[in-house]
Structure formats: C-alpha cells, structure tokens
Amino acid sequence: MDRGKSGSKMHVLSDANGLPLLVGLSAANVHDSLALKPMITGHQTRHDPYRGRYFKPQRLHADKAYDIPHLRKWLRGRRIGVRIARKGIESSERLGRRRWVIERTMSWLTGYRRLNHRYERHPRNYLAFLGLAAALCCYKRLVRLTT
C-alpha cells in the first residue's frame, strides 16, 4: 500500500486455467486485501439441477498481501481452501507454481493498449474496457478450443 500513490489497481479472479472470471478496479492507495471479499461474493456459482449442487471455488491461491487472519477465517467459513503464503514464515517460491497462471492472465489483459496505460479519466470507462478485454480473452480461448 502506498498512501500517496495515484492511479488504479486491477483485481482479477481467474480459474485454474487462467480464464478471467471476474475483474475489478480499486484505487492504487487502497490495500489489496480490501478487494478480496467483494470479488469472492461477486463470483456467481453455477447450479447443476441434475445433481442438485452448486459449483463453488474450492481453493484460493493468493500472495502475501492477503495474509490477514480475518480473511482466512472468512474464507474457511465459506468452505474455500486457502493457499496464501504467510508473512515472515513461508517463501513465495512455492506459490509460484500456481501463481504464474494469474500473472499470465494479467499480462493478457495488459496486452491491450487501452489497459496498459490508463487513458480513461473515469473509472467506470476503464472498468468497462477491462471487462471487454476479459471477454475477449475468454472468446479467444473458446475459439482455440473449438477449432
């Protein structure tokens, strides 16, 4: 967290393959952990009427910025497995095996010229372009899988 920093941060919730499921935006001077609860609650689960169950996230992989006890407790209460490196105890090296997926997703999104530098003055416009870029990433993956 940098108190005087201007700008914005992208928050992305992706699946295990790197497809962006949910995107969000916050001010650059706000801590990352404050965006976790809205991202998780905003993620809609699918309902399978034949089996009568919901599909929900099983595990959450995150970096050390999300290592806060009340967030861990909140995620356990929602029955989501937590894989967050502990500050001062664990190395970030072991999480790198899974975290490269989200880093790749972030690079896909920032590959679009409009998102690499923030040209938009209003956050709602920037968030709209971020959602459009996420939809394009999903579309490209779908086309690649079906052809």
Side-chain angles (χ1 to χ4, degrees), residues 1 11 30-39 66 68 70-71:
M1 180 168 82
H11 301 281
V30 176
H31 197 267
D32 290 339
S33 63
L34 297 177
L36 181 66
K37 284 185 181 181
M39 293 291 280
Y66 298 95
I68 298 175
H70 78 273
L71 286 178

Side-chain angles (χ1 to χ4, degrees), residues 88-106:
I89 298 173
E90 293 183 45
S91 170
S92 297
E93 304 278 328
R94 292 187 59 205
L95 286 176
R97 294 180 295 184
R98 303 277 194 276
R99 287 214 26 242
W100 69 271
V101 175
I102 193 67
E103 298 298 332
R104 181 185 62 185
T105 304
M106 294 295 280

Side-chain angles (χ1 to χ4, degrees), residues 7 15 21 49 64 78 93 96 105 122 140:
D15 67 351
L21 301 174
K64 290 182 183 184
R78 298 192 73 137
E93 304 278 328
T105 304
H122 298 289
K140 286 180 181 179

